[in-house]
Amino acid sequence: MANKVITISRQYGSGGREIGERLAEALGVEFFDNKLLEVAAKDSGIHQSHFEENDEKRSNSLLYLLSTAYGQGGVPFDDSLFFAKLEAIRKIASEESCVIMGRCSDYALKDFSNVLNVFISAPFEARVKRAEEVYGITAKHSADYVKRIDKQRTSYYNYYTDKRWGQPQNYHLCIDSTALGIEGTTAAIIRFANEFFK
């Protein structure tokens, strides 16, 4: 039987990462967030710091585009990083059941069976509050920071896929994490996954 994989896309501050960690723990599978970057770095031979610096964002400045380094075969370096992550996601999903965070993983696994794609959202005010209380972003900058990270994720996803980030048709399940809280949302996804993977 094919491995069971859950991909999680999320708005910044929605608690998606914590939910993903809890899901993986409850299901007894590996959680791939930063660990995915380790796999991509090891398999591609590109230093992990490059993946971390450019994670889920594209460098759009004209100066960067004019001076950008090119990878193998004349491919822009940003694109080389993306394709390395894509390959890592596919390798991981083919080897084990797991939970994978973001990085266009729903798109990367579109031809795989037994993949549940989840999108986690929350009202803007709740996300700003979480950014301050959980991630330590100052109140003065928190609203702008939440907007900026969502904009980066949107730009990254829309550039590299033929879909639009956050659109419900891209996912099997879209859920507002404030409706049930982190624990309740995790439990709801587990119930959905148990039916989905039957």
Side-chain angles (χ1 to χ4, degrees):
M1 185 175 178
N3 295 324
K4 299 173 182 177
V5 178
I6 299 176
T7 73
I8 301 215
S9 298
R10 75 286 186 211
Q11 292 180 315
Y12 182 81
S14 64
R17 188 180 197 284
E18 183 178 349
I19 291 166
E21 289 177 319
R22 287 174 176 237
L23 269 176
E25 184 178 356
L27 297 171
V29 299
E30 197 71 53
F31 176 67
F32 286 92
D33 186 12
N34 292 334
K35 189 173 182 181
L36 169 63
L37 305 183
E38 294 175 21
V39 175
K42 181 180 177 184
D43 290 351
S44 68
I46 300 171
H47 197 276
Q48 188 173 334
S49 63
H50 293 300
F51 289 98
E52 292 166 352
E53 290 163 10
N54 297 281
D55 197 22
E56 291 190 292
K57 60 187 175 188
R58 278 191 51 78
S59 300
N60 292 319
S61 74
L62 180 60
L63 182 61
Y64 176 84
L65 293 173
L66 291 173
S67 64
T68 187
Y70 281 75
Q72 293 180 344
V75 177
F77 193 57
D78 275 2
D79 296 350
S80 295
L81 295 173
F82 172 75
F83 293 127
K85 282 186 273 191
L86 222 61
E87 287 305 309
I89 290 166
R90 290 171 177 157
K91 175 186 176 183
I92 290 163
S94 66
E95 292 178 350
E96 61 182 298
S97 295
C98 57
V99 174
I100 303 177
M101 252 357 256
R103 301 175 182 88
C104 305
S105 50
D106 59 301
Y107 175 79
L109 301 177
K110 63 183 180 179
D111 297 324
F112 279 60
S113 59
N114 271 21
V115 176
L116 169 61
N117 299 314
V118 178
F119 187 83
I120 299 172
S121 64
F124 182 72
E125 297 76 14
R127 296 191 291 123
V128 169
K129 183 178 180 183
R130 184 176 177 83
E132 295 169 7
E133 295 178 353
V134 178
Y135 304 122
I137 310 298
T138 62
K140 181 180 178 182
H141 301 292
S142 55
D144 287 340
Y145 189 79
V146 169
K147 289 176 186 175
R148 180 163 62 86
I149 299 299
D150 275 352
K151 186 175 180 181
Q152 286 177 354
R153 289 177 180 169
T154 300
S155 175
Y156 183 82
Y157 187 92
N158 292 355
Y159 180 85
Y160 282 116
T161 78
D162 55 1
K163 301 177 180 181
R164 308 297 290 177
W165 185 77
Q167 293 297 303
Q169 60 266 30
N170 299 342
Y171 313 98
H172 301 104
L173 177 64
C174 297
I175 190 164
D176 175 351
S177 60
T178 63
L180 301 173
I182 299 296
E183 190 174 332
T185 300
T186 303
I189 296 172
I190 290 172
R191 289 194 298 271
F192 189 96
N194 287 338
E195 290 296 317
F196 183 86
F197 291 124
K198 271 186 178 178

